[in-house]
Amino acid sequence: VAACGGIAVLLVAVGVWLSWRPESEANDEFVAAIRNGEFIPYYQPVMDIETNRLRGCEVLMRWRRPNGMIVSPGQFMAYAENNGHIFDMTRHMMRVSVDEVGELYGENPDLKLSINLFAGHFLDREIVADIKSIFGKSAISFQQIVVEVTERHPLEDMDLARKIIAELQALGVRVALDDVGTGHGGMAYLQKLGVDIIKIDKMFIDTIGSDDNSTTIVDSMVELADNLGMGIIAEGVELEEQIERLLELGVTAAQGYHFAQPMPAEDFIAFAERTEKE
Ligand code: C2E
Ligand code: CA
Ligand code: CA
Ligand code: CA
């Protein structure tokens, strides 16, 4: 409890630190943190719940302060997005992933690597160029990459977003719609964007089994995904019962604290080696 309290106080302190500073000063320090490589990837395993084998991971950004404190995206992502820093940070994240897990991915061609993109990435073809240049000559192939588009922020230019998605798919990259059912897009996004995978939000997973409505919603998502030929990943799986329900509903890919939290590369590589041996 004391440790949690300490973390909460530190998190609030970072939030306050970002907000009370004169704007330009806070921004200079944020830019310096980017340049110092303080924003790093953590990796959360995505499991095949039928076989208990590793399918891959989702790359989740963390701010590692010089004092070693690890800050979650809830504390800085909105700032990074609103001030246009997210583009450099995403490039950095992808490059570091190649350095850190490239070898693991080269040796295990079935593993997938999910990268989170921001709605602003779909207003500009630069993301296609970045993915080509960063992964093109790397040990991680385009076929191993999944980009996640969130439904939480509106996509301002649907036609351009559709084109960018098609260009990524032409390379072999797959596209997942994240946070389905929580945001703006709904069915229209699924139909218009031509995504390959839908991710079911933790909100619906939390209550499957105990709440008939959630079960029905997840059931409809699975049916829809099947009809549209899309894959499905459940997120926020914390309990054994949830896995059982998901298997009954026909979902085979999941991530969540039940399996593992997001972790540094070294730990993820050890996790991968452990699961492959079992
Ligand atoms: P998201 O993409 O929906 O990522 C899933 C979030 O759920 C992660 O939070 C993950 O740590 C958390 N999570 C996974 N399993 C469980 C579980 O079983 N229980 C609970 N309580 N939580 C679980 P995180 O890492 O704090 O990231 C929050 C959000 O920040 C992400 O939500 C994503 O929208 C954004 N984000 C993270 N990294 C990046 C990034 O590199 N780029 C962009 N654009 N956004 C990012
Ligand atoms: Ca995501
Ligand atoms: Ca999500
Ligand atoms: Ca979520």
Side-chain angles (χ1 to χ4, degrees):
V1 176
C4 284
I7 289 166
V9 168
L10 285 172
L11 290 181
V12 170
V14 170
V16 170
W17 176 84
L18 276 177
S19 57
W20 74 255
R21 295 239 150 187
E23 214 167 286
S24 62
E25 201 180 312
N27 200 57
D28 289 349
E29 293 195 30
F30 200 81
V31 171
I34 296 173
R35 221 174 291 126
N36 293 340
E38 291 178 26
F39 294 94
I40 57 160
Y42 264 34
Y43 304 84
Q44 184 178 36
V46 177
M47 304 302 294
D48 182 321
I49 55 178
E50 268 179 332
T51 63
N52 276 321
R53 296 193 61 190
L54 182 68
R55 291 176 49 121
C57 71
E58 178 173 4
V59 180
L60 293 157
M61 204 185 296
R62 295 292 181 267
W63 185 357
R64 189 179 52 204
R65 306 295 314 275
N67 66 7
M69 180 183 150
I70 300 291
V71 183
S72 284
Q75 299 292 313
F76 63 80
M77 195 54 70
Y79 184 84
E81 291 173 348
N82 295 337
N83 293 281
H85 298 307
I86 187 66
F87 304 103
D88 277 343
M89 293 163 85
T90 303
R91 266 190 291 273
H92 176 70
M93 206 64 29
M94 294 192 289
R95 287 198 190 104
V96 176
S97 312
V98 168
D99 289 345
E100 291 186 332
V101 300
E103 195 180 326
L104 175 71
Y105 275 68
E107 288 165 2
N108 297 278
D110 292 335
L111 290 184
K112 303 281 188 267
L113 185 84
S114 281
I115 309 281
N116 287 287
L117 296 182
F118 165 55
H121 277 117
F122 294 90
L123 288 173
D124 187 325
R125 284 201 162 70
E126 203 168 354
I127 186 62
V128 182
D130 286 344
I131 287 177
K132 275 189 190 164
S133 73
I134 293 169
F135 294 104
K137 290 186 206 96
S138 84
I140 306 178
S141 70
F142 295 132
Q143 285 72 24
Q144 288 176 288
I145 300 169
V146 178
V147 299
E148 299 193 1
V149 190
T150 177
E151 236 193 57
R152 288 189 195 282
H153 306 288
L155 290 167
E156 280 159 34
D157 184 342
M158 285 294 279
D159 290 335
L160 183 54
R162 174 71 199 110
K163 283 183 192 136
I164 290 170
I165 287 172
E167 284 176 30
L168 291 171
Q169 289 169 328
L171 292 174
V173 171
R174 299 199 302 156
V175 180
L177 189 61
D178 201 357
D179 309 314
V180 170
T182 66
H184 290 83
M187 300 297 149
Y189 268 34
L190 283 181
Q191 194 191 17
K192 285 193 199 136
L193 292 176
V195 300
D196 305 291
I197 298 164
I198 64 179
K199 294 194 75 169
I200 308 178
D201 196 79
K202 178 172 185 301
M203 184 174 112
F204 302 109
I205 304 302
D206 278 343
T207 48
I208 52 166
S210 59
D211 171 11
D212 284 346
N213 287 331
S214 286
T215 308
T216 309
I217 290 170
V218 172
D219 203 11
S220 327
M221 285 183 185
V222 174
E223 202 183 314
L224 185 72
D226 282 347
N227 290 339
L228 296 172
M230 292 171 186
I232 202 153
I233 302 175
E235 62 178 19
V237 174
E238 295 181 345
L239 306 169
E240 188 67 41
E241 299 97 87
Q242 293 166 338
I243 300 172
E244 282 157 27
R245 288 298 293 132
L246 287 168
L247 285 170
E248 283 166 18
L249 294 170
V251 177
T252 59
Q255 64 186 99
Y257 292 175
H258 177 78
F259 311 103
Q261 294 200 11
M263 58 184 97
E266 206 186 334
D267 297 341
F268 174 62
I269 292 166
F271 182 97
E273 282 165 0
R274 218 164 43 234
T275 24
E276 287 311 289
K277 279 197 204 96
E278 270 162 17

